[in-house]
Amino acid sequence: MTLFLSYLINGINLGSVYAIIALGYTMVYGIAKMLNFAHGDIIMVGAYISFCAAQYLGLPALVSVLMAMAVCTTLGIVIEGLAYRPLRQAPSLAVLITAIGVSYFLQNSALLIWGANPKSFPSVVSVPSISLLNGSLLISGETIVTILANIIIMVTLTLFTSRTKMGKAMRAVSEDKGAAELMGINVNTTISVTFAIGSALAAIAGVLLCSSYPTLMPTTGSMPGIKAFTAAVFGGIGSIPGAMIGGILLGIIEILGKAYVSTELGDAFVFAVLIIVLLVKPTGLFGKVVPEKV
Amino acid sequence: MSIEKKATRLVPAPSYGLLPERDVNARPVLEARNLGIEFGGLHAVEDFNLVIGKTEIAGLIGPNGAGKTTVFNLLTKVYQPTMGTILVNGRDTVGMTTAQASKMGIARTFQNIRLFSNMSVEDNVRIGLHNQIRYGMFTGIFRLPAYWKCEQRMHERSMELLSIFDMQDLADHKAGSLPYGAQRRLEIVRALATNPCLLLLDEPAAGMNPHETEELMENIVKIRDSFKIAILLIEHDMKLVMGICEGICVLNYGKIIAKGTPEDIQNNPTVIEAYLGKRKEA
Amino acid sequence: MKKRNKRMTDKLITFGIVIVAFIFCQIMISTGNMSRSLRGQLIPICVYIVMAVSLNLTVGISGELSLGHAGFMSVGAFSGIIAAMWMHKGIGVENQVLCLIFAIVAGGIFAGIAGVLIGIPVLRLRGDYLAIVTLAFGEIIRNVMNCIYISLDGQSLHFGFVNPNLPGKLLLNGPAGTTGIVKMSTFPMAFALVLLTLLVVLNLIDSRNGRAIMAIRDSRIAAESVGLQVTRYKMMAFVTSAVLAGMAGAIYGLNFSTVTAAKFKFDTSILVLVFVVMGGIGNIRGSVIAATLLTVLPELLRAFSDFRMLFYAILLILVMLVGNNPTLRSMVLRIIPRRKNQSQDGEVN
């Protein structure tokens, strides 16, 4: 039972990281209507920046995280402006292939800069662990911080999209770009801001992911990125609470699958969930149906 | 009207059809009974009854947003109706797909043109012939004799069909590069290639100048006469509708508000009100 | 009829190019003018041509982005290897060409079965969702392949899942891959597969079924309205593409002494996609040329091998931007004047 609980907590920890990544995915997909394949690699960049800031510059953990966020935000805006904005009118196939190109660009640039050898990421969390049930169940500081960060981010984002002017603009653009533009909303700025927020979240997710799973490689981000997309689809693409719940459920499924069925097939489980969700309820748990106009 | 209740297969049409003087014993090509569809509580089309005779040209008119295209989508099974029955040549089409509806003989054009724009004009027509002239995948890949024979027949038939609108010379052009009017005509040719018994035209004259419209009117009548098919058309150009339609059905807010001959419709106060609004009482 | 003739010429040119290239290679080999490393690339080049042409059938002709093409190659490779080894060692057929043909057929059949099984759910989806699900299937295939163990005991094959104890000699050892393969693949056989692939794909495109596939790509709703069964034709393209990829996989697998499932990861799918995009989506001849050049080039530029994928990534982005952004497109067209009819004629060949 305690073993199960510890798996469950691990699952929630991993799931919370997925949830933070999925929030970035879901916002970008909701507004720019594109699958930003490179999102996972921004996680990796964020983790490397934080790693370098702490390791080589000796900056304190919090500052290194802020630096990672700053770099990723800039990176997100630059990528959007250079690679995605020129393709706003292009077919989705072209945009997706470009995003794959950007993903490979980031991975291989990282490979050239930081090398292929995995780096051991020092945890940025200094919160002590909590032990429960007479010490048989240990909740690590990383887990606590990850879960807290996830909740704070979700609440902030929900308030941001419903209360602020920019948030409302985002929702308007996601409904109808043309109409939003006619209402005086600057669509390009809105999409840039969305990418900026998504990328900053990716930086946080990268640091938290590597604090719990300390192997940092150029390909660190790609699998979590794809799984987080799965989480976003699971929860219903475009929905903020959906991304969070989808992420956590997926994390739990992955950890329990690996623990109780087969380590080799852990990833296969996650993808099986994706396929089943898309077939049974393509709109996800909280998504809405957009009928095709004839 | 009691027949509607038991209603899946029925042959003789009662007189709620479009044309009162039509032979009521002839089996209608299309019969829609109490047809309706609901989108999340909104009745886009409701209680739609229509009978079209074998070689009738009928018009479906109404203000914007009245549900005309929705009716087409129901008849072609793009949407599955939530109420009512559609009979094509007396056969119920319940549960059929769009492709099956096409095989039953319903062909259509689209309000916003949907050609296979990266393919040539002739290939567009050949795709219309897809279910008329058939051979298998292996015949095609390994170029068995049947391939050459069928392709030759397809070519001849496509040219014949294109000649309705004098478009043979355009056969090798890319469909997407044709001028607007030619694209509309090609859509009609493609629809005719499926060998339909009922042709649905969604705003065939949209974007055409008066001269082209005139030509189109002649051609629609010509098509009806030579193919012996029924035609139902949605059109805003009243000159065209009143000029060639034998029966007209007026739709407003998803409901039929009037049916009858062009003269009936022109003098119908409900129709005038729907189009122009109510006269203010001074 | 002008168009017909043009298509015929196009097809003949494509076949001409590959046949001339093959003869040229054979002459170079027999006169000893081809370097060892380049000779080692000949079979992979043929394999990648088949992969690229078959993926182009899905992406360019059928219009569905598949990110799991390497999965079918993997299924083909492993089933092909097992089939060949069983025939060679189990039954004792000495003739390696026969064994290889049997392997190619088996690879095609098994990949085809995988294609049907995956196609049924996948083809109900559209656009980005379809792409991501093919990716998911590619990864699932790789995961599952890592857990399969097959051994040969006399004439009978034994199958096991997740670390079993099997009698006889292990052929497929889970994550460690296949062992003790007799390298049977030959350049002429690989080339024959290229010819078969071109024959199938080019003739399919220029036939009733191929037109239906392209019609569905251009407008699904219009295609349905003229009576095409969308799923049937999407499936036809998807499964044909999977069968060809499986055949390529069989040749690829029998070209190495060991093959692991890790060889067919996501990167391989992307590599093939790069070939398709570089050669022009929907352009079969382009795929052939791109697959050849982009397989040979990195070998010639060994010094820059670290930059290979980076270079591909940048190329991919640039080609997409130039191809799809009107401003950039006209800019490039001004610098490089192209033949006029080339840009207008979107017809595939």
Side-chain angles (χ1 to χ4, degrees):
Chain A
M1 189 61 201
T2 17
L3 199 61
F4 175 77
L5 278 181
S6 77
Y7 286 140
L8 197 65
I9 288 165
N10 277 343
I12 295 175
N13 178 14
L14 182 62
S16 295
V17 176
Y18 288 163
I20 299 172
I21 310 170
L23 284 173
Y25 254 123
T26 217
M27 286 178 72
V28 168
Y29 198 96
I31 287 161
K33 298 283 177 290
M34 66 162 288
L35 174 51
N36 183 14
F37 212 83
H39 195 69
D41 300 289
I42 295 185
I43 300 167
M44 174 270 298
V45 174
Y48 266 112
I49 298 293
S50 160
F51 174 81
C52 290
Q55 204 77 359
Y56 303 133
L57 304 176
L59 297 173
L62 195 64
V63 179
S64 76
V65 175
L66 287 176
M67 217 170 119
M69 285 172 71
V71 171
C72 287
T73 306
T74 322
L75 190 63
I77 295 174
V78 169
I79 290 173
E80 194 275 325
L82 286 183
Y84 301 153
R85 187 172 299 172
L87 297 177
R88 197 88 13 104
Q89 311 298 332
S92 67
L93 185 73
V95 184
L96 186 53
I97 292 174
T98 310
I100 292 171
V102 172
S103 161
Y104 267 70
F105 176 77
L106 292 178
Q107 268 181 38
N108 287 285
S109 305
L111 191 67
L112 289 177
I113 299 171
W114 290 296
N117 287 338
K119 302 233 185 309
S120 174
F121 191 90
S123 174
V124 295
V125 176
S126 47
V127 177
S129 313
I130 301 176
S131 92
L132 292 173
L133 303 173
N134 300 329
S136 56
L137 182 66
L138 196 75
I139 304 177
S140 69
E142 283 81 8
T143 307
I144 297 166
V145 171
T146 308
I147 295 170
L148 279 180
N150 181 18
I151 294 170
I152 294 169
I153 288 169
M154 198 201 80
V155 171
T156 320
L157 269 187
T158 312
L159 290 178
F160 176 77
T161 49
S162 58
R163 299 283 163 82
T164 64
K165 205 174 161 192
M166 184 41 97
K168 284 178 186 163
M170 280 179 180
R171 278 161 51 210
V173 172
S174 82
E175 289 268 328
D176 189 330
K177 258 180 233 160
E181 195 147 31
L182 288 175
M183 292 298 112
I185 294 171
N186 188 333
V187 172
N188 280 338
T189 316
T190 313
I191 292 180
S192 284
V193 170
T194 312
F195 269 87
I197 295 174
S199 305
L201 293 181
I204 299 176
V207 172
L208 290 173
L209 178 73
C210 289
S211 294
S212 301
Y213 299 85
T215 332
L216 179 55
M217 284 188 291
T219 52
T220 293
S222 55
M223 256 308 139
I226 294 167
K227 287 178 188 165
F229 177 75
T230 305
V233 172
F234 193 8
I237 209 115
S239 153
I240 289 173
M244 178 168 140
I245 291 168
I248 289 177
L249 284 179
L250 206 70
I252 295 172
I253 291 171
E254 181 179 341
I255 297 285
L256 292 185
K258 275 186 176 153
Y260 289 108
V261 188
S262 154
T263 332
E264 285 288 343
L265 292 175
D267 290 354
F269 275 112
V270 174
F271 292 124
V273 168
L274 172 73
I275 292 161
I276 293 166
V277 169
L278 280 179
L279 291 176
V280 177
K281 197 168 186 307
T283 49
L285 297 174
F286 297 89
K288 53 185 176 190
V289 193
V290 185
E292 192 180 0
K293 184 114 175 113
V294 180
Chain B
M1 296 294 252
S2 63
I3 321 155
E4 290 164 17
K5 291 285 184 288
K6 50 182 181 182
T8 44
R9 229 179 82 248
L10 163 132
V11 181
S15 62
Y16 56 83
L18 280 178
L19 282 177
E21 69 271 25
R22 204 191 52 235
D23 176 10
V24 291
N25 292 316
R27 188 159 72 174
V29 63
L30 176 88
E31 195 175 344
R33 288 198 210 131
N34 292 41
L35 197 59
I37 187 167
E38 209 179 311
F39 292 120
L42 173 83
H43 292 272
V45 172
E46 219 180 337
D47 207 20
F48 184 86
N49 289 292
L50 182 73
V51 176
I52 298 178
K54 279 233 183 295
T55 57
E56 183 169 346
I57 297 181
L60 183 59
I61 63 171
N64 285 325
K68 302 181 296 290
T69 299
T70 308
V71 169
F72 271 24
N73 286 336
L74 288 172
L75 295 179
T76 53
K77 294 287 170 176
V78 172
Y79 300 147
Q80 292 298 337
T82 48
M83 282 162 286
T85 321
I86 303 165
L87 303 182
V88 178
N89 287 322
R91 276 184 60 195
D92 196 339
T93 63
V94 69
M96 284 191 179
T97 61
T98 306
Q100 285 168 321
S102 156
K103 284 177 195 158
M104 293 282 290
I106 300 185
R108 76 177 288 187
T109 66
F110 296 87
Q111 190 177 349
N112 40 351
I113 301 170
R114 288 173 192 267
L115 286 170
F116 308 123
S117 46
N118 291 318
M119 305 173 77
S120 73
V121 169
E122 188 187 333
D123 280 350
N124 269 269
V125 186
R126 279 168 182 248
I127 290 164
L129 292 169
H130 188 87
N131 289 323
Q132 315 304 313
I133 302 171
R134 331 173 55 120
Y135 57 83
M137 182 183 171
F138 286 93
T139 312
I141 288 177
F142 297 105
R143 296 288 190 252
L144 304 182
Y147 166 85
W148 301 106
K149 222 167 68 193
C150 290
E151 288 288 312
Q152 186 57 33
R153 265 172 58 209
M154 275 192 181
H155 174 70
E156 282 159 12
R157 183 76 184 130
S158 317
M159 287 302 157
E160 235 172 82
L161 287 163
L162 282 170
S163 70
I164 300 172
F165 291 114
D166 282 325
M167 290 173 76
Q168 304 98 304
D169 298 343
L170 296 173
D172 289 341
H173 286 248
K174 203 171 124 180
S177 67
L178 293 183
Y180 190 77
Q183 292 199 7
R184 284 221 171 274
R185 287 189 280 271
L186 177 57
E187 257 202 330
I188 298 177
V189 175
R190 183 182 69 188
L192 285 173
T194 64
N195 193 20
C197 54
L198 171 66
L199 179 61
L200 307 176
L201 302 177
D202 201 340
E203 300 197 17
M208 287 187 179
N209 62 33
H211 173 71
E212 285 177 314
T213 308
E214 197 111 328
E215 223 170 277
L216 180 74
M217 285 167 70
E218 284 166 24
N219 278 319
I220 290 176
V221 176
K222 195 173 94 185
I223 286 167
R224 188 267 307 267
D225 293 343
S226 54
F227 286 82
K228 303 269 185 295
I229 58 173
I231 295 172
L232 174 64
L233 54 89
I234 294 176
E235 190 46 70
H236 286 295
D237 187 329
M238 284 306 141
K239 201 170 147 254
L240 185 147
V241 176
M242 298 301 167
I244 60 172
C245 291
E246 293 146 345
I248 293 172
C249 170
V250 191
L251 210 58
N252 197 19
Y253 295 114
K255 285 184 182 155
I256 293 177
I257 55 169
K259 266 194 283 197
T261 59
E263 295 75 44
D264 296 342
I265 297 299
Q266 269 164 327
N267 301 319
N268 186 319
T270 333
V271 175
I272 296 168
E273 191 188 305
Y275 269 89
L276 303 175
K278 225 184 186 119
R279 179 175 303 188
K280 255 198 192 131
E281 302 294 336
Chain C
M1 270 338 245
K2 217 172 63 200
K3 196 92 185 180
R4 305 272 103 190
N5 291 335
K6 187 178 162 284
R7 272 185 208 162
M8 204 60 162
T9 337
D10 265 342
K11 221 183 287 179
L12 289 178
I13 290 173
T14 310
F15 275 105
I17 289 173
V18 291
I19 290 170
V20 167
F22 173 71
I23 293 169
F24 178 73
C25 286
Q26 288 293 44
I27 292 172
M28 292 283 276
I29 293 170
S30 57
T31 54
N33 277 324
M34 190 177 275
S35 73
R36 243 186 98 84
S37 71
L38 200 57
R39 232 168 34 221
Q41 286 294 304
L42 290 178
I43 294 174
I45 288 173
C46 292
V47 168
Y48 281 124
I49 289 177
V50 176
M51 288 297 288
V53 170
S54 61
L55 183 64
N56 209 342
L57 181 61
T58 314
V59 176
I61 308 303
S62 182
E64 307 287 10
L65 182 55
S66 165
L67 298 176
H69 209 49
F72 297 124
M73 192 182 179
S74 156
V75 172
F78 288 115
S79 48
I81 289 169
I82 302 300
M85 287 300 121
W86 174 72
M87 196 170 178
H88 191 61
K89 290 185 180 159
I91 299 190
V93 176
E94 282 304 314
N95 188 336
Q96 293 200 353
V97 175
L98 262 179
C99 291
L100 184 61
I101 291 174
F102 182 62
I104 292 173
V105 171
I109 290 174
F110 279 96
I113 293 170
V116 173
L117 292 180
I118 293 172
I120 291 169
V122 161
L123 294 175
R124 289 169 55 185
L125 303 168
R126 295 182 198 180
D128 291 350
Y129 282 159
L130 187 143
I132 206 89
V133 167
T134 53
L135 186 162
F137 269 115
E139 291 298 306
I140 290 177
I141 289 178
R142 191 166 61 86
N143 269 311
V144 171
M145 281 300 173
N146 266 333
C147 298
I148 294 181
Y149 296 77
I150 299 173
S151 74
L152 180 67
D153 185 22
Q155 280 203 15
S156 55
L157 288 170
H158 297 272
F159 294 85
F161 201 66
V162 192
N163 229 351
N165 249 329
L166 296 177
K169 198 174 162 304
L170 265 182
L171 288 176
L172 178 55
N173 186 12
T178 52
T179 47
I181 305 173
V182 182
K183 291 201 251 174
M184 294 176 178
S185 297
T186 57
F187 180 43
M189 277 304 286
F191 175 73
L193 184 63
V194 171
L195 285 187
L196 176 74
T197 305
L198 286 175
L199 181 87
V200 169
V201 174
L202 290 175
N203 278 352
L204 178 65
I205 293 171
D206 187 21
S207 77
R208 171 178 172 267
N209 296 298
R211 280 194 295 269
I213 292 167
M214 290 188 280
I216 291 164
R217 170 197 67 189
D218 280 2
S219 171
R220 186 191 172 99
I221 290 168
E224 277 178 328
S225 84
V226 294
L228 303 186
Q229 289 160 287
V230 170
T231 329
R232 180 191 152 96
Y233 291 102
K234 280 199 175 301
M235 200 67 165
M236 186 182 281
F238 195 73
V239 174
T240 308
S241 161
V243 168
L244 292 171
M247 291 176 157
I251 290 214
Y252 188 81
L254 286 163
N255 186 39
F256 298 98
S257 46
T258 50
V259 172
T260 62
K263 269 216 161 119
F264 309 102
K265 59 184 180 189
F266 181 54
D267 290 34
T268 312
S269 298
I270 295 300
L271 188 70
V272 178
L273 181 67
V274 170
F275 299 155
V276 171
V277 172
M278 294 301 150
I281 293 175
N283 185 336
I284 302 298
R285 195 193 304 154
S287 291
V288 174
I289 295 169
T292 312
L293 289 183
L294 292 180
T295 315
V296 174
L297 266 185
E299 283 305 309
L300 298 180
L301 306 168
R302 235 170 217 295
F304 304 101
S305 63
D306 286 351
F307 294 89
R308 173 180 169 181
M309 283 315 282
L310 189 68
F311 173 71
Y312 282 173
I314 296 171
L315 218 54
L316 201 58
I317 299 169
L318 286 181
V319 167
M320 279 297 128
L321 287 182
V322 171
N324 291 288
N325 185 285
T327 327
L328 286 170
R329 196 194 181 109
S330 62
M331 225 158 75
V332 171
L333 285 182
R334 225 175 303 146
I335 302 165
I336 319 163
R338 282 162 97 188
R339 274 185 300 139
K340 247 214 178 108
N341 58 358
Q342 201 174 346
S343 51
Q344 283 170 3
D345 191 6
E347 190 70 37
V348 286
N349 44 49

